[in-house]
């Protein structure tokens, strides 16, 4: 369990340091701000100005292990494979990408689940023209599976895009 916490803290430290470097150097983010988008179904690809594309798979229910972090008994573990295609001219830093999930009509914030390699995100960078993917998992209350909103924010400065749907 300490290994997972160390990994999470290391990723967060790298993300904060990289953001500070971007802001202090006056350089723009690798990904331009996103244009406004509407809700879409699972499996759709969203595009940001500048060439970054993200595809979110159909959600899959799963049972987190006894060693997972972020899962509460009575909730449903749900995971998605998120693929990033880097159509920009600079390396995409996977550690800067954040994923959020809200559920139900009240927009309940769901906790991310870390379970072994699940939840580690896209590590390192994705070269221009290349793709990277990872599975992300969240703890969704069982009574709120009919409306789940997954948001991908590619970096701290860019806008997020949403995929909304039911988890079956």
């Amino acid at each position: 369990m300490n290994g997972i916490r160390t990994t999470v803290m290391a990723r967060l430290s790298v993300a904060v340091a990289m953001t500070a470097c971007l802001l202090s150097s006056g350089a723009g983010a690798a990904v331009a701000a996103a244009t406004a988008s509407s809700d879409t179904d699972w499996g759709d690809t969203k595009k940001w100005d500048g060439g970054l594309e993200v595809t979110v798979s159909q959600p899959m229910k799963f049972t987190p292990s006894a060693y997972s972090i972020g899962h509460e008994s009575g909730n449903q573990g749900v995971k998605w494979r998120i693929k990033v295609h880097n159509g920009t001219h600079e390396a995409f830093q996977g550690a800067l990408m954040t994923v959020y999930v809200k559920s139900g009509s009240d927009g309940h914030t769901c906790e991310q689940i870390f379970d072994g390699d699940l939840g580690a995100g896209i590590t390192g960078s994705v070269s221009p023209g290349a793709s990277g993917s990872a599975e992300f998992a969240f703890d969704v209350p069982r009574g709120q599976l009919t409306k789940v909103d997954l948001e991908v924010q590619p970096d701290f400065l860019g806008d997020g895009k949403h995929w909304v749907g039911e988890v079956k």
Side-chain angles (χ1 to χ4, degrees), residues 46 61 84 92 106 137 156 163:
K46 299 278 190 150
K61 294 178 182 177
V84 173
F92 172 75
D106 65 345
F156 293 122
W163 288 257

Side-chain angles (χ1 to χ4, degrees), residues 61-121:
K61 294 178 182 177
F62 79 103
T63 303
S65 76
Y67 303 104
S68 69
I69 297 173
H71 175 64
E72 186 176 311
S73 180
N75 286 348
Q76 177 63 60
V78 181
K79 62 183 176 178
W80 292 263
R81 177 156 293 281
I82 298 177
K83 177 184 172 188
V84 173
H85 177 73
N86 184 3
T88 72
H89 299 293
E90 299 178 21
F92 172 75
Q93 301 302 319
L96 295 180
M97 185 174 85
T98 51
V99 178
Y100 305 99
V101 169
K102 295 175 213 57
S103 65
S105 60
D106 65 345
H108 171 83
T109 298
C110 298
E111 188 76 25
Q112 186 171 358
I113 297 173
F114 297 91
D115 196 356
D117 288 339
L118 183 60

Side-chain angles (χ1 to χ4, degrees), residues 16-78:
V16 169
M18 292 177 80
T19 299
C21 289
L22 284 172
L23 293 175
S24 66
S25 69
V31 179
T35 56
S37 66
S38 61
D39 296 339
T40 61
D41 295 327
W42 310 120
D44 286 353
T45 298
K46 299 278 190 150
K47 298 178 182 181
W48 279 258
D49 292 342
L52 189 73
E53 298 179 5
V54 174
T55 305
V56 173
S57 73
Q58 293 286 329
M60 294 180 56
K61 294 178 182 177
F62 79 103
T63 303
S65 76
Y67 303 104
S68 69
I69 297 173
H71 175 64
E72 186 176 311
S73 180
N75 286 348
Q76 177 63 60
V78 181

